[in-house]
C-alpha cells in the first residue's frame, strides 16, 4: 500500500534530504577584495588559491593554479549576491584569469578600483621643486663656466714700501691700445691705426681708479699724461733701469701692468686690490654682445682721427661707434679731460646694460656676454667672478647717482718738461686729501668732475 503525499507521510520511496550549506556574510574586507585568501604554494607555483571548505563553494571545487590568481565558482554561494557579483554562477569559469582583463579587474564586472590622483597643491609643489632644481643646476653650471673664462695675469706683487691695505676696495681699470683679436681690415675700419699689437709695446688710452666702501663709489680718472715718478724697474731682457720722472703712460709702456700698478701705488699711497685691462677688440665685442649701449649726446660729434660721427640726442651705440666715442679727443676743446669724461659715462652705462634684467634673464644673451666680457678682460691673480660682479654693480651705482666721478686735482694741464713733452701736473695738496679719503674710506667731497 502506497501512501500518497496528500497524506503527509512524504514521498515514496524515501529520499535522502538535499545537502544544505551554511552561509555566512562575507566581511567588508572580503567584499572589497573579492577573492579568497592567498598563500604561498609549492616551489615554482607562485601565488595560488588553497582549498578551503569554509568559503561558500562546494567542497572540492577549489583548485591550484600555478602562477596566477583565479576566482572559484560559487565563491560566495550560488547567486546570493546576484549573477556576476563576487563570482556568482554563470559569470566566473574555472581557470578564468584574475588580472586586468578578467572579472574583478579594472574595468571588469567585479570589484571597482579607486584611482589615486595628486591634489593640486602637491602638483604645484612638485613643479616648484623641479623648477628650483633646474635653476640651481643652470646657475651652478654658469658659475663654473664663467669662472673658467676669467683671464688672470700676475700683476700685483709685494715690494718694500708698498702701501698697507686700507678700508674699502680699490680697482685700477685700464683701457689699452691692444689690438688683440682684430684683423688689419678691422683696425682700419675702427680707425685704431697701426699702433702697438700683441707682443709689442702697449700704451694706455685710459686709466681709472674705482674705490668702493661705506660711503658709496668714487670713480677717479687718472690722466695718462700725468707727470709722476716711475720706480726702478727691470725690462724683459733683464736690464735694470733707475727711478725716473715721466708720464704715467710711460710706466705701462716700459713695464706693462705690474710697473703701472707700482707707479700709481707709490704716487698716491693707495693700495690697489684688483686690476682689470681691456683692449680695443675686447671693448668692441663686449658692447656688441649686449646689443649696444644707450647714450644721450648734447651735440653731434665728428672726429676724423677716431672715426666718430654721431648725431645729437639719445641713441644706441654699437661696438665701433662706442670705441670712437670714448677715444675722440682732437675734436674736443677739453682734449684728454673731455675724453676721460666720456669714458666714465660710457663705462657706467655699459655696466648698467650688462647687469640689466634683459641680459641676466636671457641665457642666449647672458652666456655670450659673459664669454665676451671675461675673454676681453685681463685681471689680476685672485680676482674671482664675485669680484667682477661687485665691480659691475659699483660701476652701475655710479651711473645711477650713487657715487662720484671726478678727475685727480690738476695744478697745470700743460706742464712742459724737457725730453718728456707736455704733461699734466697734479695739485699735490688737493690730491693728497683725495688719497687720504680713499685710504680711510671717508666721504669724498669738494672735487671737480672735470
Amino acid at each position: 500500500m502506497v501512501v500518497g503525499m496528500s497524506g503527509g507521510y512524504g514521498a515514496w520511496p524515501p529520499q535522502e534530504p538535499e545537502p544544505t550549506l551554511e552561509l555566512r556574510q562575507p566581511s567588508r574586507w572580503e567584499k572589497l577584495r573579492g577573492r579568497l585568501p592567498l598563500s604561498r604554494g609549492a616551489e615554482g607555483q607562485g601565488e595560488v588559491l588553497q582549498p578551503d571548505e569554509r568559503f561558500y563553494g562546494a567542497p572540492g571545487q577549489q583548485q591550484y593554479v600555478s602562477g596566477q590568481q583565479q576566482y572559484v565558482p560559487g565563491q560566495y554561494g550560488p547567486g546570493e549576491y546576484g549573477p556576476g557579483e563576487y563570482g556568482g554562477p554563470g559569470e566566473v569559469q574555472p581557470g578564468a584569469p584574475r588580472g586586468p582583463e578578467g572579472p574583478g579587474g579594472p574595468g571588469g564586472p567585479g570589484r571597482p578600483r579607486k584611482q589615486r590622483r595628486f591634489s593640486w597643491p602637491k602638483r604645484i609643489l612638485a613643479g616648484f621643486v623641479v623648477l628650483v632644481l633646474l635653476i640651481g643646476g643652470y646657475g651652478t653650471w654658469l658659475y663654473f663656466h664663467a669662472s673658467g673664462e676669467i683671464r688672470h695675469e700676475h700683476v700685483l706683487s709685494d715690494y718694500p714700501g708698498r702701501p698697507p691695505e686700507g678700508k674699502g676696495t680699490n680697482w685700477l681699470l685700464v683701457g689699452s691700445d691692444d689690438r688683440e683679436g682684430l684683423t688689419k681690415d678691422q683696425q682700419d675700419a675702427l680707425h685704431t691705426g697701426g699702433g702697438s699689437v700683441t707682443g709689442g709695446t702697449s700704451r694706455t688710452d685710459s686709466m681709472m681708479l674705482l674705490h668702493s666702501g661705506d660711503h658709496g663709489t668714487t670713480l677717479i680718472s687718472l690722466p695718462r699724461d700725468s707727470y709722476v715718478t716711475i720706480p726702478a724697474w727691470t725690462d724683459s731682457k733683464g736690464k735694470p733701469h733707475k727711478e725716473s720722472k715721466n708720464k704715467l703712460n710711460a710706466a705701462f709702456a716700459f713695464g706693462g701692468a705690474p710697473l703701472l700698478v707700482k707707479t700709481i701705488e707709490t704716487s698716491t699711497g693707495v693700495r690697489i686690490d684688483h686690476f682689470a685691462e681691456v683692449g680695443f677688440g675686447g671693448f668692441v665685442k663686449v658692447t656688441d654682445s649686449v646689443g649696444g649701449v644707450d647714450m644721450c649726446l648734447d651735440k653731434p660729434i665728428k672726429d676724423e682721427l677716431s672715426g666718430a660721427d654721431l648725431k645729437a640726442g639719445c641713441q644706441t651705440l654699437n661696438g665701433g661707434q662706442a670705441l670712437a666715442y670714448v677715444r675722440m679727443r682732437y675734436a674736443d676743446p677739453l682734449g684728454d679731460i673731455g675724453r676721460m669724461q666720456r669714458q666714465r659715462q660710457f663705462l657706467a652705462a655699459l655696466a648698467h646694460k650688462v647687469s640689466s634684467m634683459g641680459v641676466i634673464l636671457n641665457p642666449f644673451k647672458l652666456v655670450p656676454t659673459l664669454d665676451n666680457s671675461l675673454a676681453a678682460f685681463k685681471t689680476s691673480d685672485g680676482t674671482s667672478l664675485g669680484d667682477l660682479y661687485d665691480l659691475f654693480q659699483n660701476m652701475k651705482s655710479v651711473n645711477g647717482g650713487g657715487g662720484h666721478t671726478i678727475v685727480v686735482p690738476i695744478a697745470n694741464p700743460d706742464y712742459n718738461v724737457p725730453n718728456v713733452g707736455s704733461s699734466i701736473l697734479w695739485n699735490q695738496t688737493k690730491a693728497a686729501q683725495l688719497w687720504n679719503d680713499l685710504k680711510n674710506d671717508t666721504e669724498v667731497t669738494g672735487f671737480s668732475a672735470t
Side-chain angles (χ1 to χ4, degrees), residues 70-75 84-97 103-104 109:
Q70 293 190 352
Y71 281 106
V72 176
Q75 182 177 349
E85 286 193 302
Y86 302 103
E91 290 296 322
V92 183
Q93 302 299 326

Side-chain angles (χ1 to χ4, degrees), residues 173-372:
L173 310 177
V174 173
S176 70
D177 64 357
D178 191 348
R179 276 88 169 164
E180 182 180 4
L182 295 178
T183 65
K184 183 63 170 62
D185 291 340
Q186 289 174 326
Q187 293 181 32
D188 293 340
L190 295 173
H191 297 265
T192 61
S196 61
V197 294
T198 302
T201 300
S202 296
R203 297 170 297 181
T204 60
D205 248 37
S206 62
M207 286 174 281
M208 283 173 278
L209 189 62
L210 179 72
H211 173 84
S212 60
D214 294 338
H215 296 281
T217 303
T218 303
L219 184 62
I220 307 165
S221 292
L222 304 175
R224 65 178 189 169
D225 290 338
S226 299
Y227 190 64
V228 296
T229 299
I230 299 177
W233 57 284
T234 301
D235 60 26
S236 58
K237 297 180 180 180
K239 180 181 179 180
H241 296 266
K242 296 181 180 180
E243 178 182 285
S244 62
K245 288 275 192 176
N246 210 320
K247 294 180 181 181
L248 184 57
N249 189 40
F252 190 76
F254 293 159
L259 184 58
L260 177 64
V261 170
K262 187 175 182 179
T263 300
I264 292 176
E265 287 185 335
T266 56
S267 300
T268 65
V270 175
R271 187 186 182 101
I272 304 300
D273 301 303
H274 298 285
F275 171 87
E277 174 193 347
V278 61
F280 287 161
F283 182 89
V284 172
K285 287 182 179 180
V286 173
T287 304
D288 287 337
S289 67
V290 297
V293 176
D294 300 328
M295 297 294 297
C296 294
L297 309 181
D298 297 332
K299 57 184 179 181
I301 294 178
K302 189 173 182 63
D303 184 81
E304 293 184 1
L305 291 178
S306 68
D309 188 6
L310 305 172
K311 61 183 180 180
C314 295
Q315 56 202 290
T316 301
L317 305 184
N318 61 30
Q321 293 171 324
L323 182 62
Y325 174 74
V326 299
R327 294 186 65 234
M328 186 199 78
R329 62 171 176 165
Y330 292 105
D332 190 337
L334 296 176
D336 268 346
I337 302 297
R339 180 167 71 168
M340 288 186 291
Q341 290 177 340
R342 289 189 297 277
Q343 290 169 349
R344 295 195 304 268
Q345 293 168 355
F346 183 83
L347 284 179
L350 175 61
H352 186 272
K353 185 65 176 288
V354 170
S355 60
S356 66
M357 290 296 102
V359 174
I360 293 177
L361 298 181
N362 186 350
F364 299 101
K365 185 175 288 187
L366 176 60
V367 174
T369 298
L370 283 175
D371 289 346
N372 287 323

